[in-house]
Amino acid sequence: MGLKVLPPTLRKNNRYLTVDIKSVHPMGKDEFVSVVWDACVRFQGEIESSNFNLWVMRFYELEKCDGYYNYKSIVRCQRGYDEEVRSSLALVNRYKNDKISISTIGLSGTINASHRFI
């Protein structure tokens, strides 16, 4: 017998943030996951960050222009905590002594709807 899927009424409600990342040095998905968690833990604390249900769903590398690398990503968080995650990511300006800028460009209820911001 296979695993049973939870009905929609018992699932957690998620929101998907589409973020724009500009960095002086190249970065990968693993480094961005570290940036997200570090930002949330530093600004909100460990107990509050554990409620966020954070997960980096997609990470896209775009072209390098004007001396910086441009990336877009989709970050999942639990509904009701999206403002806390947005504020935590907006406060990041350095990672490993390299300049970095993260801005939220969209918020949606599904991954497919968040792709329109990319």
Side-chain angles (χ1 to χ4, degrees), residues 43-93:
F43 185 62
Q44 300 290 335
E46 289 184 15
I47 295 174
E48 188 71 19
S49 295
S50 65
N51 295 328
F52 292 169
N53 194 21
L54 285 175
W55 197 264
V56 177
M57 303 299 290
R58 307 272 196 274
F59 187 78
Y60 302 104
E61 182 176 347
L62 303 177
E63 72 282 344
K64 179 182 178 184
C65 60
D66 297 333
Y68 60 86
Y69 295 89
N70 194 10
Y71 305 98
K72 298 223 186 214
S73 181
I74 298 174
V75 179
R76 181 186 75 192
C77 68
Q78 190 168 340
R79 186 176 71 182
Y81 294 104
D82 49 359
E83 292 299 321
E84 287 87 350
V85 174
R86 288 176 72 176
S87 62
S88 298
L89 292 178
L91 292 174
V92 176
N93 61 3

Side-chain angles (χ1 to χ4, degrees), residues 26-40:
M27 80 176 357
K29 182 179 178 180
D30 295 335
E31 289 177 316
F32 181 65
V33 169
S34 177
V35 168
V36 170
W37 275 106
D38 187 48
C40 289

Side-chain angles (χ1 to χ4, degrees), residues 90-104:
L91 292 174
V92 176
N93 61 3
R94 290 204 172 268
Y95 179 69
K96 292 185 179 178
N97 289 331
D98 296 330
K99 291 181 181 178
I100 186 172
S101 171
I102 302 174
S103 58
T104 304

